[in-house]
Amino acid sequence: MDAISRAFAESALIPHEAAAALLGVDRKTLKKEGDQRRITFAIVGARSRRYAESDVRDYVAYLKRKAETCRHEKPAPGSTSAKPRPIGNMISGAAVFDFLEQHEKRRNAKRANLSAR
């Protein structure tokens, strides 16, 4: 008897937390998968999600198919990623500029422009 059969031995539907533990995923992940209709569930009461054995088995089969598809895809020839961004400081030329001198020149140019008005 496998783990899924043992989980459903006493009940036709198992609660959300038990299904997440059985599948080895977080409760939030299972909720998201249900919201995206990858696993079917039933609402019992106001908001309680319950899962049937067939739905859990179908979801496990879906995960296996998804894993097989990813494993057998051929990689694209060459790199498909964008060129990496340069790292470090980029120097446009060989000259070294004094920052304060450049700042002072701009400030004086602005002052001259304002006084000319």
Side-chain angles (χ1 to χ4, degrees), residues 77-95:
S79 176
T80 58
S81 63
K83 291 184 178 179
R85 231 178 53 203
I87 298 174
N89 294 335
M90 298 294 292
I91 299 175
S92 59

Side-chain angles (χ1 to χ4, degrees), residues 34-85:
D35 292 344
Q36 293 176 352
R37 301 187 189 277
R38 292 188 181 127
I39 183 169
T40 308
F41 59 90
I43 300 288
V44 176
R47 301 181 315 184
S48 179
R49 291 182 183 209
R50 306 284 177 160
Y51 298 86
E53 181 177 0
S54 62
D55 297 330
V56 172
R57 289 190 186 280
D58 289 346
Y59 182 69
V60 169
Y62 160 76
L63 291 177
K64 285 181 181 177
R65 283 192 310 272
K66 185 178 173 184
E68 287 296 317
T69 302
C70 293
R71 199 174 310 148
H72 293 296
E73 287 181 357
K74 291 182 180 178
S79 176
T80 58
S81 63
K83 291 184 178 179
R85 231 178 53 203

